[in-house]
Amino acid sequence: MRNHKLEKEFKLIAESILNENKSLDEWSEIESDDMFQEGKYVGGFEAIEKEFCFSLYEDDGEEYWFQLSIDEIEKFLKGKLIDVEIRKADY
């Protein structure tokens, strides 16, 4: 595993998520793995994990995955979370 610094495109996704102002139950009802697409980020809400899961392609050409809770997304928008741990995609 390694870390990835979240880029400005992810900020647009994070703002969209918070602007929806949905509860975890409401997000679960509209679960999707590609609801948000911005720059290199593609993802959505995963009901089983109760978190937002994303994929991205790094400069090495490999696909990586990461997930964030709503609290972590809020921390990112407040500048308290800068990078996330990513792991190679495993299908």
Side-chain angles (χ1 to χ4, degrees):
M1 288 195 213
R2 63 192 242 193
N3 283 0
H4 167 79
K5 183 177 180 190
L6 294 169
E7 299 173 8
K8 63 182 176 180
E9 292 87 2
F10 191 77
K11 184 177 182 191
L12 298 172
I13 292 173
E15 290 170 340
S16 286
I17 290 169
L18 290 188
N19 286 339
E20 289 286 332
N21 200 27
K22 291 183 180 357
S23 69
L24 292 179
D25 288 336
E26 290 171 317
W27 279 113
S28 293
E29 290 173 10
I30 57 169
E31 177 181 37
S32 169
D33 61 357
D34 62 356
M35 181 179 290
F36 302 102
Q37 299 179 27
E38 196 69 51
K40 63 169 82 173
Y41 303 101
V42 176
F45 191 77
E46 165 52 53
I48 293 171
E49 299 288 332
K50 295 204 183 298
E51 291 190 328
F52 292 87
C53 300
F54 294 93
S55 67
L56 70 113
Y57 284 89
E58 283 282 65
D59 294 335
D60 61 7
E62 295 286 335
E63 181 181 12
Y64 292 87
W65 293 343
F66 68 95
Q67 58 193 72
L68 295 171
S69 67
I70 287 183
D71 288 344
E72 290 169 319
I73 290 170
E74 288 175 350
K75 285 180 185 175
F76 166 69
L77 287 174
K78 291 177 182 174
K80 296 179 180 179
L81 177 72
I82 297 168
D83 58 7
V84 294
E85 192 174 272
I86 58 175
R87 61 184 171 88
K88 256 189 187 177
D90 56 3
Y91 296 96

